[in-house]
C-alpha cells in the first residue's frame, strides 16, 4: 500500500501567510487511517495565537485581493481547478487513506469539489449590482455588491475536499480571503488543497489552513472581530454554539447542519429506480452524509417488492478498506460513530424492528459496520428522530400521501428529502409540501455545483453552490447619487 508520506502533495505543516509552519509550541496531533487505526502522520497542534496570526494575515491580504479584477481572481481559481484535476488520483488516495471512503467515491469527490472552483471562477465575473430609479429627478440609487471581508471556514471530515471548495471558492471569487480549519480527522486533504492553491498563485495570506485544538481555533474564528463571516458545516449541536459565539460581533454566518432525510416510495414509483436511489442516498460515504436517507417510507402495495429488491442490492455490497477497488463500503470514521450506530440499531430492535440484513459490527472488526436494513421500525425509536450517520436503512410502511407528508415533515431538520412517483400531479403536490431545502424527485442524489445546497429549520442558514452561493460572501452597499442635474 502507498504510504501517504510518499505523495508529492503530502504536507504536515500549516499554511499561514504563504508559509508552511508548525505550531508555536512544536506540538502535533496524530492522524489515523480509519480502516486500520494506524497513524498515518501528524499535523501541527495550533491554538489561539496561531489562529490570530492566520486571521491577521488574511486581513492584510484583503485590500489587494479585493482590488484585483474579477477576471484576475477568476484566472487564479481556474488554475487551481486545473491543478486539482491534474492531481485527481493522488488527492483521492490521500482522501481514502485519511477518511476511509471507497476510492471511487474519493475520485468522485475530487471532481465534485473541483466543480465548485470551476463554477465560482465563472461566477466571479457575474457579481452584478443594480440601478434603481429614485423618486427625485436629480438622483439615482446605485446598488453595489462588495466582499464581506475575512471569511472563516470550519469544515467536516465526511467530505474533506468538497466542503472546503464549496465554501472557499465563492469567498475567494468575490474578493474575500479565507482561514480554513479542517476537521482533525482529515487535515491532509485540506493541506494538499493549500499546496495546489499556492502553486496556482493565490497571493500570500489569501488562503490559510490551520489545524489543531478545535475549541480554541473555533472560539477565535467565531469571536475575533476581524472575521466578518463564518461558514460552518457540521452538527446542529456545534452549529448552535458557533451561532451564539458569532453573535458577539454580529458576523454573517452560513450553517450547513444536520439532516434527517425522508425517502418516500409511492405505489406508482418505478421500484428499480427507487432501489437504486435508496442505495445511493443511504450508503454513499458509508451513510456518513447529512443528506443520507434516514427514514425510508414505502407505500403498502409496493412495500414487499421494494424491501426484497433493496435487500438483494445490499447483500451485494463489499465492506473493507476503501483503497481496495472492489469495496463499496468503507469504515466508519471512528469508534464513537460506530457506537452510535450500534445504539440506534439496538434501540430500534427493542421497539420491534426486524433486522432484514446486517444489524451488527462487521467481522473485520475495528471501525467496520455491516450495511443494514431494518423493517417495521417504530416512530418511537431513536433512529426515527436522531441522525444515525451510518450505514443503516430503517423502513416504515405508510398508507396514503397525506399521512406520509405529515410523517416526513415531523422533524426539526429540513435539509434533504427524496421521493419516487410517476404521477405528475403528486410530484408537484409533494415537492411543494415537503418542508426541506432540497427535494430529489426520482433521484437519490441532488448535490451539484449548479444547484443551491442548504437547509431550513435546524438544518441551517444560507446556501452553497449555484448562482446563490456568492450572496453569503457579499455585502450590499447602496449609494444615493444626488445633485445630478445641477
Ligand atoms: C454533507 O454531507 O455535508 C454534504 C453532502 C453533499 O454535498 O452532497
Amino acid at each position: 500500500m502507498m504510504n501517504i508520506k510518499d505523495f508529492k502533495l503530502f504536507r504536515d505543516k500549516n499554511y499561514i501567510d504563504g508559509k508552511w509552519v508548525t505550531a508555536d509550541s512544536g506540538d502535533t496531533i496524530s492522524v489515523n487511517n480509519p480502516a486500520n487505526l494506524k497513524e498515518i502522520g501528524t499535523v501541527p497542534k495550533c491554538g489561539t495565537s496561531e489562529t490570530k496570526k492566520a486571521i491577521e494575515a488574511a486581513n492584510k491580504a484583503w485590500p489587494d485581493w479585493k482590488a484585483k479584477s474579477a477576471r484576475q481572481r477568476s484566472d487564479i481559481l481556474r488554475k487551481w481547478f486545473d491543478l486539482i484535476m491534474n492531481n485527481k488520483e493522488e488527492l483521492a488516495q490521500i482522501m481514502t487513506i485519511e477518511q476511509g471512503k471507497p476510492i471511487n467515491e474519493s475520485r468522485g469527490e475530487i471532481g465534485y469539489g473541483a466543480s465548485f472552483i470551476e463554477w465560482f471562477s465563472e461566477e466571479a465575473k457575474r457579481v452584478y449590482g443594480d440601478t434603481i430609479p429614485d423618486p427625485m429627478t436629480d438622483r439615482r440609487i446605485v446598488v453595489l455588491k462588495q466582499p464581506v471581508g475575512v471569511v472563516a471556514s470550519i469544515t467536516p471530515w465526511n467530505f474533506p475536499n468538497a466542503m472546503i471548495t464549496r465554501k472557499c471558492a465563492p469567498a475567494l471569487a468575490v474578493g474575500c480571503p479565507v482561514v480554513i480549519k479542517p476537521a482533525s480527522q482529515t487535515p491532509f486533504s485540506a493541506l494538499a488543497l493549500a499546496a495546489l492553491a499556492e502553486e496556482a498563485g493565490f497571493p500570500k495570506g489569501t488562503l490559510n489552513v490551520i489545524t489543531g485544538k478545535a475549541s480554541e481555533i473555533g472560539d477565535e474564528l467565531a469571536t475575533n472581530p476581524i472575521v466578518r463571516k463564518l461558514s460552518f458545516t457540521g452538527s446542529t449541536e456545534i452549529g448552535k454554539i458557533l451561532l451564539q459565539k458569532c453573535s458577539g460581533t454580529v458576523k454573517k454566518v452560513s450553517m450547513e447542519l444536520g439532516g434527517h432525510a425522508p425517502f418516500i416510495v409511492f405505489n406508482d414509483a418505478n421500484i428499480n429506480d427507487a432501489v437504486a436511489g435508496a442505495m445511493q442516498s443511504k450508503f454513499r460515504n458509508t451513510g456518513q452524509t447529512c443528506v443520507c436517507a434516514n427514514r425510508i417510507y414505502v407505500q403498502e402495495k409496493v412495500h414487499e417488492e421494494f424491501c426484497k429488491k433493496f435487500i438483494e442490492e445490499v447483500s451485494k455490497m463489499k465492506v473493507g478498506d476503501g483503497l481496495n477497488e472492489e469495496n463499496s463500503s468503507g469504515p466508519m470514521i471512528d469508534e464513537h460513530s460506530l457506537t452510535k450506530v450500534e445504539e440506534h440499531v439496538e434501540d430500534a430492535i427493542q421497539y420491534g424492528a426486524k433486522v432484514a440484513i446486517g444489524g451488527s459490527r462487521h467481522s473485520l472488526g475495528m471501525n467496520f459496520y455491516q450495511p443494514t436494513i431494518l423493517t417495521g421500525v417504530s416512530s418511537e425509536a431513536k433512529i426515527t428522530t436522531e441522525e444515525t450517520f451510518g450505514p443503516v436503512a430503517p423502513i416504515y410502511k405508510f398508507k396514503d400521501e397525506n399521512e406520509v407528508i405529515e410523517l416526513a415533515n415531523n422533524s426539526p431538520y429540513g435539509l434533504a428529502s427524496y421521493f419516487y412517483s410517476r404521477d405528475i400531479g403528486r410530484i408537484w403536490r409533494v415537492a411543494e409540501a415537503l418542508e426541506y431545502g432540497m427535494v430529489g424527485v426520482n433521484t437519490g442524489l441532488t448535490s451539484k455545483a449548479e444547484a443551491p445546497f442548504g437547509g431550513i429549520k435546524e438544518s441551517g442558514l444560507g446556501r452553497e453552490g449555484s448562482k446563490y452561493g456568492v450572496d453569503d460572501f457579499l455585502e450590499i452597499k447602496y449609494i444615493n447619487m444626488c445633485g445630478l442635474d445641477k
Side-chain angles (χ1 to χ4, degrees), residues 112 116 156 158-159 162-163 166 233 256 284 288-291 389 445 447 453:
Y112 174 50
F116 291 105
N158 63 342
F159 288 88
M163 297 305 100
R166 193 158 77 186
T233 294
E256 297 295 351
R284 178 175 172 227
Q288 302 171 109
T289 88
C290 50
V291 291
F389 233 65
L445 182 68
S447 309
F453 187 104

